[in-house]
Amino acid sequence: MSDSSDEEYLGTDWLPYSERSEWADVKPLPQDDGPNPVVAIAYSPKFREVFDYFRAIIASREKTWRALELTTDALRLNPANYTVWQYRRDILRELDANLKNELDYLTEVIGQNAKNYQVWHHRRVIVEMLNDASQELELTQNALDIDAKNYHAWQHRQWAIRTFNLYDDELPFVDRLICEDQRNNSAWNQRFFVLKHLGFTPEVIQRELVYTMNRIRIIKGNESAWNYLVGVLRQSEDGLLSSYPEVLEFSEELYNAGNRSPYLLAFLIDVYQEQALQDGANEQLARKVYTLCDDMATKHDVIRRKYWQYVAANLKSQLSSKSAK
Amino acid sequence: MSYHIDMEDAAANEPVLLSKHSKNLLRFLHLLPARMASHDNTRSTIVFFAVCGLDVLNALHLIPPQMRQDIINWIYGGLVVPRSNEKQCGGFMGCRAMVPQTDDAELQECVRAYQWGHLAMTYTSVAVLATLGDDLTRLDRKNIVAGVAAVQRPDGSFSACIDGSESDMRFVYCAATICHMLDYWGDVNKETMYQFIMRSLRYDYGFSQELEGEAHGGTTFCALAALELSGQLHRLDTCTVERLKRWLIFRQVDGFQGRPNKPVDTCYSFWIGASLRILNAFELTDYAKNREYIMTTQDKLVGGFAKWPQSTPDPFHTYLGLCGLAFTGEPGLSDVMPSLNISMAAYAHLKQLHESWRLKGDENTTGASPYSIATTPELLDAAMEQQMKMCDDSETSTSPLISAQ
Ligand SMILES: [Zn+2]
């Protein structure tokens, strides 16, 4: 929740609507907040006036160029007002306005309000109306250059890619972002999104596993990379973590070299557990899990100690119910 | 005796400044400064944070009876009831920007075309009414749920309102809260809703805002709560549930983060905490560390909680911080019903209303499913007791308040 006001943005040479001759024919309509309003906002005179005029044009169903400009002012004062955005779209349709201009306007607004739901939604609708998404990759790239984890920008980018089939150049873009910041979880997610579309064939899986293991070699305690590794393994035909033995080898190597990243240990726990359950109560593998869980709980991941105790207990009960059968 | 004071002990002993938080939240019910004008459209969510926050603080009595009535009346003032020949836009508005002060019937008629209920505002409005003990008799439940069904998309997701809104997991959640609180699902399609939720489950086993977006703590809460409220949580298989727990448990750093490799933020003590409560796994977290972090974001001067230490507190993080603390059993705070994000007392009141609607054979409830959420009898008893006390307090006020997010 942030307090943002674009009061200043409207400039010092602001002329009130009541003093504009071209608006002399409009009678402003005040808001009816009821007799004893709560959470009443002490609107600035400017805010109050702009919305009084906005209500007036809605009430007279006016859809003109000056009405469009009025919505621009209203949205600068409150870009979260979804009704103003909706009315703006109704005006644009009525005027059969050049929507390219609207895209330019939105590029500017998004530059200032990159985390506003309504702005991004408006952008989506206009792009749909134009049936032209040629600017969307650049637009979202600019937003991601400022904040590489901006959820709105990623959502819009995915939508554009999915709707207009823009997958072709996405992998290099994602790769660049992962190189810049290997901990960028949004970029890893986008990588999964692209490859899922292209198809997780055995070759793709193999390549992605190598790619990810190389990343993990650089930063071993990176949860994003480990999650991606597991996610890709589960795309294999049998969905097992042990289906590509080189990953287990790689992990055991890291472990034997002394690495104790909780994500590495969690992965080993998962693989051994999976194998223990498959192998029909393999005691040796189960003991490995218990030892690792105990190490996590007491040394490497103490904040999750109750969880690791739970994981061990869970396996124990699963195995005993198995052997009971 | 040692003079050495351990930093952790200091944080562990840090008291929650209950009365300061109450005063802080109360202030937001009064006049807000001009700089908050960008929150104009979501005024009812501010009421929600303030009222529900006071409830969790056991401080609803600080709202004078007249003001309590004013809140209820103001909330009802945002109710949109479509006529039979109009679009199904029933529900609550969060503000009055589209309500003009005029006697001119024609002008009113034109503006009316832009008055729509908004799912998030309907959710928070009904939750506030329930929290204040209103009996919801001024609502046409069927009409409101028709409005919910009208904004469901073919893919099962929901928009916020009939026109001009994105659709995503937030509104799936709001739709589920509304139907659950009104004990009526009408034409809402639970099956496609379930399909949409499951299509948004990611490879790391968090849920995204929509489809293949990044898994996120807030949207994971929305997804799980919607499943619980619609009685569909049991459809998750054991394996999925265990992986969900893993993703959620791994969000704890000291407090909780919303996504891997993102900074910790007070509000995730609620989003992640509530998700784990829904999965019955919250006790696997580290309560002390969680509390310690939340306490570093407490504003000792003016009350309230912020997202980060040394940041400005706001009602959103204040309320969710309090809920996060309530989950760890903080003394002085009421327990919170995780999936509705209201107090157990308010939830008990809702259940009482459901019971009375059913006894009356209210036509609205025909075909409704039985309660799907288990609360321990002791919890409910305690909650009821508290509710009764609250009703006593409010007896001096005028009407429809007394009977019993
Ligand atoms: Zn937050």
Side-chain angles (χ1 to χ4, degrees), chain B residues 265-268 271 307 316-317 320:
Chain B
D265 171 341
T266 289
C267 66
Y268 293 105
W271 304 122
K307 63 197 291 191
F316 176 86
H317 288 93
L320 297 180

Side-chain angles (χ1 to χ4, degrees), chain B residues 89-197:
Chain B
C89 57
F92 284 90
M93 300 182 288
C95 68
R96 300 296 174 273
M98 286 303 119
V99 184
Q101 222 175 76
T102 176
D103 296 329
D104 189 323
E106 205 189 316
L107 292 183
Q108 278 178 343
E109 207 49 37
C110 288
V111 182
R112 197 182 153 81
Y114 287 87
Q115 293 171 351
W116 313 314
H118 181 291
L119 291 196
M121 304 309 139
T122 305
Y123 156 52
T124 46
S125 295
V126 176
V128 166
L129 292 174
T131 300
L132 291 178
D134 183 72
D135 64 4
L136 306 183
T137 45
R138 286 152 83 178
L139 289 183
D140 180 345
R141 296 185 286 134
K142 226 172 189 173
N143 210 313
I144 290 179
V145 173
V148 175
V151 296
Q152 188 169 22
R153 299 287 173 98
D155 69 359
S157 68
F158 291 80
S159 300
C161 43
I162 198 77
D163 220 342
S165 155
E166 65 278 11
S167 65
D168 57 44
M169 201 64 81
R170 290 172 301 153
F171 304 122
V172 170
Y173 168 69
C174 293
T177 60
I178 295 163
C179 296
H180 187 89
M181 288 193 292
L182 299 182
D183 197 26
Y184 182 65
W185 289 79
D187 290 331
V188 169
N189 189 333
K190 289 191 204 176
E191 179 57 33
T192 56
M193 176 179 135
Y194 175 80
Q195 296 304 335
F196 176 81
I197 294 172

Side-chain angles (χ1 to χ4, degrees), chain A residues 1-4 29-33 36-44 47 54-55 58-59 61 63 78 80-83 86-87 89-90 117 121 124 149 151 155 158 162 183 185-186 188-189 192-193 196 222-224 227-228 231 234 263 266 270 301 303-308 310 314, chain B residues 28-41 43 46-47 70-71 74 96-102 107 110-111 114 116 118 161 163-166 170 202-205 208-214 242-243 245-246 249-253 259-262 283-286 314-315:
Chain A
M1 207 176 204
S2 72
D3 304 329
S4 77
L29 265 186
Q31 160 177 298
D32 184 0
D33 208 359
N36 299 300
V38 290
V39 290
I41 298 173
Y43 304 116
S44 70
F47 188 102
F54 176 68
R55 274 180 287 273
I58 278 206
R61 293 200 173 100
K63 288 168 187 156
N78 184 9
N81 190 317
Y82 53 94
T83 320
Q86 181 59 31
Y87 197 67
R89 283 188 286 275
D90 293 346
Y117 283 102
H121 175 69
R124 197 188 277 208
K149 299 176 180 180
Y151 205 93
Q155 228 181 327
Q158 273 202 0
R162 192 170 57 231
R183 290 193 170 90
N185 196 60
S186 314
W188 285 100
N189 181 73
F192 198 93
F193 159 73
K196 181 84 186 166
N222 178 12
E223 185 185 356
S224 301
N227 285 350
Y228 184 80
R234 290 202 174 117
Y263 310 110
D270 288 348
D301 202 23
I303 197 165
R304 272 170 278 281
R305 63 195 170 282
K306 288 187 271 181
Y307 173 71
W308 293 116
Y310 160 81
N314 214 2
Chain B
F28 282 93
L29 288 172
H30 296 93
L31 195 65
L32 303 173
R35 67 184 161 78
M36 286 191 72
S38 59
H39 296 296
D40 190 40
N41 280 76
R43 282 166 63 198
I46 301 174
V47 180
D70 289 344
I71 296 171
W74 184 81
R96 300 296 174 273
M98 286 303 119
V99 184
Q101 222 175 76
T102 176
L107 292 183
C110 288
V111 182
Y114 287 87
W116 313 314
H118 181 291
C161 43
D163 220 342
S165 155
E166 65 278 11
R170 290 172 301 153
R202 298 301 289 141
Y203 63 89
D204 53 1
Y205 283 81
S208 80
Q209 183 77 278
E210 57 168 350
L211 309 177
E212 294 174 87
E214 184 183 3
E242 290 313 310
R243 289 172 187 176
K245 283 182 195 168
R246 166 72 62 85
I249 290 276
F250 266 56
R251 303 284 60 76
Q252 183 161 29
V253 177
R259 303 181 244 168
N261 289 320
K262 287 278 279 182
E283 67 279 2
L284 300 178
T285 62
D286 187 321
D314 60 66

Side-chain angles (χ1 to χ4, degrees), chain A residues 257-271:
Chain A
N259 190 277
R260 293 295 181 270
S261 151
Y263 310 110
L264 164 67
L265 269 65
F267 178 74
L268 289 173
I269 288 171
D270 288 348
V271 183

